[in-house]
Amino acid sequence: MKQKIQSMREAIEAKLSSVATTAELREIRSVYLSRTGEIPALMKQLGSLPKEERPEAGKYINEFKNWATERIEECEATLAAKELAERYEREAVDITMPAESRPMGALHPVTLVRDELVRIFSGMGFVVYDGREIEDDYHNFTALNQPEDHPARDKQDTFYVTDDILLRTHTSPGQIHMLETTKPPFKAVMPGRVFRCDDDATHAPMFHQLEGLVIDKGLSLCDLHGLLDTLAKAMFSSDTKTRFRPSYFPFTEPSVEVDVSCMECGGKGCRLCKGTGWIEILGGGVVNRRVIENCGLDPDEWTGLAFGVGMERIAMLKYGLNNIHLFYDGDVRILSQFH
Ligand code: DAH
């Protein structure tokens, strides 16, 4: 027995001296020390010894077992430290290296203008309503009192899907949806995309408008002036002045075109305002009685104010761009300049 143990001890020493990984070491531990390993097997052989030899042999095996356990644990500690050191080396991160730069995105100028308009009108208690980009002829034209022979109904100007369905040419049909579904009084703005067969430096086949609609009792053009004056001052600068010029839209009566004092020269006259000191920014008016009637409300009881503003136009004025297509070319050199 002693001899057997001695040779086992030598075998263990030999294996431990050449072991290279903790995985190999686990294997050695299992061969000798696991429940079915060689050292527990020695214990089982005790029974075959003469009775008087058993206590001493048992002690001897136990000491051997303790020795083997200790040696393997020692070896394990050394190997684990070595493997950790290697891993630190392998996975080292140089924290002094400059970080990879990530390009920052910027909001599109039309998004900036829309957010600004929505913020201003929300502050005045307006709700925001999403209209539809695909409309029927009734909501886009008829309900808005746009007669059959109105030039805007020309097939040349409108993208028709079918005889009756079209891409909305303005956000004004949103007024009709609001009036059909919302109990007055209310104040709403409706931002969104609109479509027209039109293409030059200041017109694009798709652009953005924001429609405004206020329905209440006893509204007049004075209320519209107050509202739009507040808007112009918030949008451009606190000393911006506003003026109304008479105009015509089928859905408003009276209708006005709204000018603001030139943001470039302050009203003295320059190239931007073509020497007039004024710049047109939107159309509006008092909602035509027939529109209110078309939506099932009594025009003697309810009055309305409406306006529609082109967001690209505002963005061009605000940011000094002279070509609407710069908004859609997707050139980051242009788009990243607006904050
Ligand atoms: N829908 C008009 C357009 O696209 C703009 C407009 C003018 C809207 C007057 C209105 C308004 O609500 O009252 O040219």
Side-chain angles (χ1 to χ4, degrees):
M1 174 73 81
K2 274 196 180 167
Q3 224 161 28
K4 203 171 182 181
I5 288 177
Q6 186 52 33
S7 63
M8 212 182 271
R9 185 192 290 265
E10 278 159 21
I12 292 177
E13 277 297 5
K15 282 186 184 167
L16 289 186
S17 69
S18 67
V19 69
T21 64
T22 47
E24 277 173 44
L25 191 69
R26 260 198 304 280
E27 181 60 27
I28 297 172
R29 181 200 285 273
S30 140
V31 168
Y32 291 99
L33 289 167
S34 69
R35 222 160 27 83
T36 55
E38 297 200 16
I39 296 177
L42 290 176
M43 284 290 188
K44 282 177 203 137
Q45 288 167 24
L46 270 182
S48 63
L49 291 180
K51 210 168 178 176
E52 58 285 6
E53 287 179 26
R54 285 184 207 161
E56 204 196 331
K59 207 173 135 215
Y60 199 75
I61 297 171
N62 252 330
E63 275 168 16
F64 175 54
K65 185 182 169 190
N66 291 341
W67 171 85
T69 310
E70 235 170 75
R71 281 294 291 123
I72 288 175
E73 275 169 7
E74 257 171 50
C75 227
E76 191 167 36
T78 321
L79 273 182
K82 189 173 133 242
E83 282 177 7
L84 189 64
E86 279 167 9
R87 193 173 147 205
Y88 279 154
E89 180 76 21
R90 200 171 53 243
E91 295 178 3
V93 174
D94 181 358
I95 57 164
T96 64
M97 257 179 41
E100 214 175 285
S101 73
R102 284 169 197 271
M104 269 289 276
L107 291 178
H108 192 278
V110 174
T111 305
L112 291 173
V113 166
R114 185 201 58 202
D115 289 354
E116 177 78 353
L117 286 166
V118 166
R119 189 184 64 76
I120 294 167
F121 283 109
S122 300
M124 293 193 268
F126 283 63
V127 297
V128 180
Y129 171 76
D130 275 326
R132 333 178 162 182
E133 291 178 1
I134 299 177
E135 272 296 356
D136 53 27
D137 184 276
Y138 175 77
H139 287 86
N140 196 82
F141 294 127
T142 313
L144 285 161
N145 193 38
Q146 210 136 316
E148 287 285 345
D149 54 359
H150 193 275
R153 275 180 101 135
D154 194 331
K155 288 216 164 37
Q156 303 274 298
D157 296 326
T158 306
F159 292 109
Y160 279 89
V161 178
T162 68
D163 277 350
D164 187 47
I165 306 293
L166 45 87
L167 302 186
R168 68 175 171 191
T169 57
H170 50 178
T171 43
S172 302
Q175 291 188 31
I176 306 302
H177 290 294
M178 270 313 276
L179 281 162
E180 285 173 344
T181 55
T182 315
K183 216 172 135 253
F186 63 79
K187 297 186 268 193
V189 283
M190 297 154 254
R193 292 198 285 186
V194 301
F195 307 86
R196 283 180 206 176
C197 299
D198 214 350
D199 206 1
D200 60 34
T202 52
H203 298 89
M206 185 282 299
F207 62 104
H208 299 77
Q209 288 187 331
L210 177 128
E211 193 78 14
L213 179 65
V214 183
I215 300 289
D216 208 331
K217 293 183 177 170
L219 294 171
S220 75
L221 214 52
C222 289
D223 299 302
L224 186 66
H225 191 250
L227 184 66
L228 297 179
D229 195 55
T230 308
L231 166 70
K233 287 183 162 61
M235 200 66 196
F236 296 105
S237 70
S238 55
D239 50 12
T240 303
K241 291 185 192 59
T242 316
R243 78 173 185 189
F244 280 3
R245 274 179 298 111
S247 184
Y248 171 78
F249 299 104
F251 32 88
T252 42
E253 179 57 38
S255 300
V256 292
E257 233 134 3
V258 182
D259 296 342
V260 293
S261 50
C262 178
M263 55 291 291
E264 192 74 22
C265 62
K268 287 195 277 297
C270 66
R271 248 181 57 190
L272 182 66
C273 57
K274 300 192 180 83
T276 64
W278 294 96
I279 292 201
E280 184 196 324
I281 58 158
L282 56 85
V286 174
V287 176
N288 195 308
R289 294 172 57 90
R290 292 167 86 161
V291 172
I292 292 181
E293 229 162 41
N294 288 344
C295 298
L297 292 177
D298 177 0
D300 289 324
E301 185 183 2
W302 295 104
T303 52
L305 306 173
F307 55 92
V309 50
M311 293 202 258
E312 277 82 353
R313 179 158 173 79
I314 301 289
M316 286 166 82
L317 291 170
K318 234 175 128 76
Y319 301 119
L321 290 175
N322 57 9
N323 190 317
I324 194 169
H325 295 279
L326 291 173
F327 290 137
Y328 313 120
D329 288 346
D331 187 335
V332 248
R333 290 171 304 179
I334 304 276
L335 296 179
S336 61
Q337 292 180 45
F338 309 99
H339 296 289

